[in-house]
Amino acid sequence: MGLVAVCSRRASRSSSACFIVTMLLSLAYMPCEAYLSSTFYDKMCPSALNTIRTSIRTAVSRERRMAASLIRLHFHDCFVQGCDASILLDEAASATSERNALQNLRSARGYEVIEAAKSQVESICPRVVSCADILAVAARDASVAVGGPTWTVKLGRRDSTSASLSQAETDLPRFADGLEKIISLFDNKGLSARDMVALSGSHTIGQAQCVTFRDRIYNNASDIDAGFASTRKRRCPTNDGNGNLAPLDLVTPNSFDNNYFKNLIQRKALLESDQVLFSGGSTDSIVSEYSKSPATFNSDFASAMVKMGDIELLTGSSGVIRKLCSAVN
């Protein structure tokens, strides 16, 4: 006999009780909401965060550029299947490894840094801390290591057992994307245009390959400073040097600051996808605001990183804790 029939028969005597039972059964079939907490590992692995921090500081002290690479790695992870460490799975672990996506191939870096941090955490707390959480914490610690903002990282993510090359190629921005395309990609992940501009500010550090900005510096368009283009041509010839590097921020390439936005206003963005943020469109005012207020930029960047870290989470039994970040094990 169904619940509705029972409730109908006894409505006069126990309508309130039936209502409670009905609500409880309804709740039982509702999906559980993902729950993260900054104190998730406090009892299970109290030294986890300090261990990760030390490992990341060591890596960044060896190579300053690594800070930008780790922030980008976390971003490229979260935009494909959510923040689940799927980007860390190599070709041996997944035939559809995201490492081979056009937006990652020969440009995504830092895999070995995350693996080293994971190894150190595993030595003290085996199979407790996920690769997804290590990557999220590493992005924060990398920012701090080069003078950028800090934020509270919520923890409790689980790792995926699969990757998606096709989703990486459709959901990750490309260096020649226009403004509306970029806004749409971020909106699909629950991030606003303001979040997008703030997160793009991470290009205040790091470098890009010649192949990603060659068209921009040679097209003689009105949206690029002629002197800036001439300087960049020295290490980016028309038909050679695809892998030659140039700093995304020519002024302070190794410091996390707001010079990136000042560069946009001066038409000195290295990538087309950066310059479109200040090109007479809807995000011009945000760029202007950040160029004048580093405090506002830092605050918004931190908030956007927290928000990005909540994309499509795996928690509890929905995922696993990998022993090696590059493999399903």
Side-chain angles (χ1 to χ4, degrees):
M1 186 179 298
L3 177 66
V4 174
V6 173
C7 285
S8 297
R9 182 179 298 176
R10 299 177 180 175
S12 61
R13 293 178 298 168
S14 55
S15 57
S16 60
C18 287
F19 174 76
I20 293 172
V21 171
T22 304
M23 287 299 295
L24 288 173
L25 286 175
S26 298
L27 288 171
Y29 288 96
M30 288 176 64
C32 293
E33 192 171 312
Y35 175 72
L36 300 183
S37 167
S38 61
T39 61
F40 189 84
Y41 298 113
D42 280 8
K43 292 183 178 179
M44 293 183 290
C45 190
S47 299
L49 296 187
N50 284 335
T51 302
I52 298 169
R53 183 182 302 112
T54 300
S55 185
I56 299 307
R57 282 179 177 173
T58 300
V60 174
S61 67
R62 272 197 237 104
E63 183 195 9
R64 195 83 167 170
R65 180 189 172 201
M66 186 53 67
S69 298
L70 293 173
I71 293 172
R72 183 173 186 257
L73 198 62
H74 179 45
F75 161 49
H76 280 216
D77 179 42
C78 290
F79 262 52
V80 184
Q81 299 188 167
C83 307
D84 62 355
S86 58
I87 194 173
L88 303 179
L89 292 171
D90 63 19
E91 295 87 342
S94 173
T96 58
S97 174
E98 294 160 24
R99 298 188 185 197
N100 293 326
L102 178 65
Q103 297 93 319
N104 293 326
L105 189 63
R106 291 188 291 275
S107 65
R109 306 170 69 248
Y111 301 113
E112 73 288 350
V113 173
I114 300 301
E115 202 71 77
K118 172 65 169 175
S119 177
Q120 292 177 29
V121 172
E122 282 291 303
S123 69
I124 56 174
C125 304
R127 297 281 184 153
V128 172
V129 183
S130 69
C131 296
D133 276 346
I134 290 175
L135 185 50
V137 172
R140 189 269 312 277
D141 292 346
S143 169
V144 174
V146 290
T150 187
W151 56 90
T152 299
V153 179
K154 293 184 286 184
L155 304 165
R157 299 169 189 80
R158 305 274 283 188
D159 301 324
S160 68
T161 57
S162 64
S164 177
L165 173 62
S166 60
Q167 189 178 339
E169 293 193 331
T170 58
D171 288 11
L172 290 171
R174 303 190 181 210
F175 56 81
D177 280 345
L179 179 60
E180 294 309 313
K181 172 67 172 179
I182 299 171
I183 289 175
S184 175
L185 289 173
F186 277 72
D187 181 65
N188 290 342
K189 304 300 178 182
L191 298 168
S192 68
R194 189 176 184 90
D195 294 327
M196 180 271 290
V197 176
L199 291 171
S200 297
S202 64
H203 284 181
T204 184
I205 53 176
Q207 302 184 61
Q209 298 178 32
C210 168
V211 67
T212 65
F213 60 84
R214 179 184 284 119
D215 287 348
R216 172 162 165 75
I217 63 176
Y218 283 101
N219 68 4
N220 298 313
S222 61
D223 67 345
I224 186 168
D225 177 84
F228 173 76
S230 178
T231 299
R232 295 277 61 90
K233 288 175 182 178
R234 294 172 191 166
R235 283 190 48 78
C236 187
T238 56
N239 55 6
D240 192 18
N242 280 355
N244 290 354
L245 297 172
L248 290 161
D249 174 6
L250 190 59
V251 183
T252 53
N254 292 315
S255 298
F256 197 106
D257 54 32
N258 69 331
N259 271 325
Y260 164 82
F261 300 104
K262 297 176 183 179
N263 293 338
L264 299 189
I265 294 171
Q266 295 169 7
R267 297 177 297 127
K268 293 180 179 180
L270 189 62
L271 303 179
E272 183 66 28
S273 55
D274 283 333
Q275 191 59 62
V276 295
L277 303 187
F278 192 84
S279 56
S282 60
T283 56
D284 281 17
S285 59
I286 306 172
V287 171
S288 295
E289 182 181 359
Y290 290 160
S291 74
K292 297 171 185 174
S293 177
T296 301
F297 163 52
N298 284 345
S299 176
D300 283 3
F301 180 81
S303 296
M305 288 295 288
V306 172
K307 193 172 176 182
M308 185 180 74
D310 283 343
I311 296 175
E312 298 175 43
L313 300 174
L314 293 178
T315 59
S317 60
S318 299
V320 300
I321 303 293
R322 296 188 215 138
K323 182 180 174 71
L324 296 173
C325 292
S326 60
V328 179
N329 44 56

